[in-house]
Amino acid sequence: MKVLSIESSCDETGAAVVEKKGNTIKVLSNIIATSSEMHAKTGGIIPENAAREQVKSIIPVIVESLVEAENKNSKNFTDNFILASKILKGIDAIAVTYGPGLIGSLLIGVETAKTLSFTSKKPIIPVNHLLAHLYANFIASTDNKNPINFPFIGLIVSGGHTDLLYFKSHNDFKWLGGTRDDAAGEAIDKIGRMLDLPYPAGPEMEIRANRVKDINMKFQSPLINSNDFDFSFSGLKTEAMRYIKENKIDNDLTNKICYATQNAIFDVLIKKTLKAAEIYDCKSILLGGGVSANKTLLERFQSEIKNLKIKTEIFTPEKKYATDNAAMIGAYALINGEKKEWREVGSNPELYFS
Ligand code: KG4
Ligand code: ZN
């Protein structure tokens, strides 16, 4: 089965063609247009601007994903457009993110998918963006084996969400906890903004944190000792803000603040995720979302997992599938999606886990 998948929940417009053969999920194309440079100027996303950019990008991105999937990109839009409508005939379904996200952005992807579904008579597969972040781990890299085993713990760490889930099977899962205020990525971006780092701050914060050799600075990890699976990062933001106000911030100190911020966030993420894996006796741990692109986070998980009483394996998506993209939407649709008629599908900005 082969799907065209569309992602437009925030400031990225993505389209991909993804195929499932046996148990292998293969990405044939994965195109992304981002308006993040525009948002960098305002230090964050203005929803109205993000939606306007989505409108401009959605058709060119879909056309490119279809022609790229067949290695037939002529670089001429009219030629590609004609070819894309032919290629669409060989697609089995159209998968689309229907939530959560910014309503203006979501509508562009969902209504485009519905129009394509209506005109091409292909079914739609609506996909939860958050679950798709975890299912990015099922995309095959080199071999055909899928080493992910149930039960697994899923940790979603993105710009908008921090959630911990326990999966017995694809359809039987339980939300264990999540952030009570800011998401992990949101705290990183907000502290990054105080330090004048480019938006989004995660990648630059990682580079700067890696430059720190000796560290004598520590921020608190909120809720690290609480007896639940919740997170809270707004206190960390306040602590960092106070420190930045009270000290003369040079390049060296900026790097140290990056290191301390990352560490405070990672300490609590790792502690609670591993505790959940132990309690629920999980065979795998799946990370997903933009913050899971961070190599230090993975390395720390890999090292600390060895101290557990159980044997479990950690998975993180390839970097290009960790941040927002349409390939992960296709992967979820192919593994656990439900085909619907276009009339039954609508955007749901508040969608959570149900
Ligand atoms: O999943 P994502 O692309 O979008 C949402 O669904 O929110 O996540 C974006 C978040 C941003 O907060 C960004 O700063 C963070 O992921 N991020 C990182 C890294 N790359 C992106 N955080 C830490 N380290 C990174 N390398
Ligand atoms: Zn996301």
Side-chain angles (χ1 to χ4, degrees):
M1 183 167 155
K2 204 192 273 185
V3 296
L4 164 68
S5 51
I6 299 171
E7 154 62 35
S8 77
S9 63
C10 194
D11 59 336
E12 260 94 26
T13 316
V17 176
V18 188
E19 187 174 35
K20 184 165 186 261
K21 273 190 180 163
N23 276 332
T24 305
I25 303 286
K26 205 171 157 212
V27 177
L28 304 182
S29 67
N30 184 35
I31 308 297
I32 297 172
T34 177
S35 53
S36 72
E37 260 179 45
M38 185 169 101
H39 306 301
K41 289 183 195 138
T42 47
I45 294 167
I46 295 174
E48 167 82 12
N49 292 348
R52 281 167 192 258
E53 292 305 303
Q54 295 278 3
V55 175
K56 281 190 221 160
S57 305
I58 192 99
I59 297 296
V61 164
I62 289 173
V63 165
E64 200 178 333
S65 74
L66 287 165
V67 295
E68 278 284 325
E70 302 266 319
N71 291 318
K72 287 185 178 152
N73 192 348
S74 74
K75 308 279 176 204
N76 175 297
F77 184 71
T78 312
D79 291 349
N80 279 350
F81 190 81
I82 294 164
L83 198 56
S85 54
K86 287 185 190 147
I87 296 169
L88 188 60
K89 293 196 175 92
I91 298 283
D92 300 298
I94 297 157
V96 65
T97 301
Y98 75 109
L102 303 170
I103 182 64
S105 292
L106 280 172
L107 276 169
I108 316 289
V110 170
E111 295 307 309
T112 306
K114 285 165 77 173
T115 310
L116 284 176
S117 163
F118 172 72
T119 52
S120 67
K121 300 187 178 60
K122 312 276 177 193
I124 293 204
I125 304 178
V127 174
N128 180 325
H129 177 91
L130 297 175
L131 293 178
H133 266 307
L134 294 178
Y135 278 67
N137 286 289
F138 288 93
I139 296 172
S141 47
T142 45
D143 59 22
N144 288 344
K145 277 191 236 110
N146 169 16
I148 296 169
N149 288 306
F150 288 104
F152 67 72
I153 292 290
L155 173 69
I156 302 162
V157 267
S158 70
H161 294 87
T162 304
D163 291 292
L164 202 58
L165 296 108
Y166 162 55
F167 285 77
K168 277 193 203 167
S169 68
H170 291 302
N171 287 321
D172 186 1
F173 65 86
K174 185 168 119 180
W175 180 82
L176 300 176
T179 185
R180 295 182 186 171
D181 39 56
D182 289 356
E186 193 178 352
I188 287 173
D189 293 338
K190 285 179 177 166
I191 295 171
R193 192 175 172 181
M194 296 174 208
L195 294 169
D196 283 331
L197 304 189
Y199 175 87
E204 171 90 4
M205 194 170 276
E206 180 177 8
I207 294 167
R208 285 180 170 270
N210 284 342
R211 287 187 191 137
V212 176
K213 293 282 172 272
D214 62 310
I215 181 79
N216 46 14
M217 204 177 126
K218 193 168 164 55
F219 289 152
Q220 299 297 318
S221 294
L223 298 185
I224 194 155
N225 292 318
S226 70
N227 209 11
D228 53 31
F229 293 112
D230 281 350
F231 304 95
S232 161
F233 296 111
S234 80
L236 173 66
K237 193 180 61 189
T238 314
E239 190 182 357
M241 186 166 68
R242 200 172 304 126
Y243 187 89
I244 292 165
K245 269 195 189 147
E246 287 168 4
N247 290 277
K248 196 174 157 355
I249 307 299
D250 58 10
N251 191 44
D252 203 35
L253 205 50
T254 300
N255 293 349
K256 285 185 175 159
I257 294 169
C258 288
Y259 182 97
T261 299
Q262 242 188 222
N263 247 17
I265 294 173
F266 293 175
D267 282 351
V268 61
L269 289 177
I270 294 166
K271 183 170 175 188
K272 294 205 171 180
T273 305
L274 296 185
K275 183 174 143 194
E278 243 177 9
I279 288 175
Y280 292 96
D281 199 7
C282 285
K283 295 204 170 71
S284 310
I285 297 170
L286 275 58
L287 310 183
V291 181
S292 74
N294 190 295
K295 221 168 150 230
T296 309
L297 178 65
L298 175 66
E299 284 166 1
R300 283 200 49 193
F301 260 115
Q302 282 166 335
S303 131
E304 292 180 38
I305 217 166
K306 291 181 193 141
N307 304 327
L308 292 187
K309 292 186 200 98
I310 55 161
K311 196 174 162 355
T312 184
E313 218 180 320
I314 181 95
F315 295 88
T316 190
E318 255 182 77
K319 209 166 185 156
K320 62 184 172 209
Y321 304 133
T323 47
D324 285 354
N325 68 90
M328 67 182 193
I329 306 302
Y332 185 88
L334 288 165
I335 294 167
N336 201 35
E338 210 183 312
K339 287 182 190 159
K340 302 246 174 174
E341 216 209 318
W342 65 269
R343 282 188 196 84
E344 300 172 86
V345 179
S347 306
N348 183 354
E350 312 295 338
L351 181 70
Y352 212 36
F353 301 107
S354 53

